[in-house]
Amino acid sequence: MSLERLSEVVNISRSHLSRIETAEAMPPPDLPPRLDVAFRTDGIFMELYQLAAREIHPDQFRRRMELEARACLIEEYAGQIVPGLVQAEGYARQQFVVSNPKATSEEIEQLMAARMSRQALLHATPPPDLSLILDEAALRRFFGGPAVMRAQVTKLEALTLTSNSVVQVLPVEHGGHALMGGTLTLMTLKDGAQVAYEEAITTGMLFEDVEAVRERQRAYDLLRACALSPRDSAAFIRTVLEGLPT
């Protein structure tokens, strides 16, 4: 099939398809299923996309993504920024722009495609259970304008208490705690193994040692006990939403 014809079928420009074909651009996450339909390939493009999405990340984070995809429970604390797994598109894009001020629009779009592809695991069958502790600062700190933050806070409110997600807010009044200064992700795999991933400004470290993971799990559990309940967290998030400029 020519690129011109494929462009008509999948509704993406010929030039964009050409860059994807030559591995100069990451495919958008909604393209692989359309390619599978166009070529009747029964999920092959979706499988290839998952491989490609992992390849653009550094080794440590790539390993984290592989484990994340196998997890049945993901627990995360975030102090300054909404975690990537639950970021709205506008919020994620603004984060990448701020973090990479010299990045081209194509580089930003590749990062966006990778970020959105990670979120697909939350729609798996069955999805992993997700538990988030968000510092109040992550809700108050703007990435983009009020409209961007409104979309993000609305998304968080919807996840506050569902069949597979819990979001709890840690108010600033709580004061200092052991997990300040970064983010922590704890993953329990389907075979019962547990791993932890700590992330700073530009670096991340994966812990698979049992004792190291246990120490971080204890710190997370203590913080969860101090956070607002899911019901009170939902009310808090609605207050933040109502306080955003229209």
Side-chain angles (χ1 to χ4, degrees), residues 187-244:
M187 292 168 278
T188 302
L189 308 186
K190 295 172 183 176
D191 62 2
Q194 291 183 301
V195 297
Y197 186 81
E198 286 183 355
E199 193 166 5
I201 298 173
T202 58
T203 59
M205 183 170 291
L206 186 68
F207 297 88
E208 300 186 63
D209 175 72
V210 173
E211 191 57 39
V213 175
R214 184 179 293 123
E215 290 176 3
R216 287 156 179 81
Q217 181 73 62
R218 176 62 174 162
Y220 182 89
D221 290 342
L222 287 172
L223 198 60
R224 176 163 51 193
C226 298
L228 298 178
S229 70
R231 183 186 299 275
D232 290 342
S233 294
F236 190 100
I237 291 172
R238 283 193 293 272
T239 300
V240 173
L241 186 59
E242 291 165 2
L244 290 171

Side-chain angles (χ1 to χ4, degrees), residues 77-81 133-139 141 177 179 181-183:
Y77 162 75
Q80 297 292 330
I81 191 167
I133 302 173
L134 289 180
D135 196 286
E136 179 182 346
L139 297 171
R141 192 177 304 282
H177 56 83
L179 299 182
T183 65

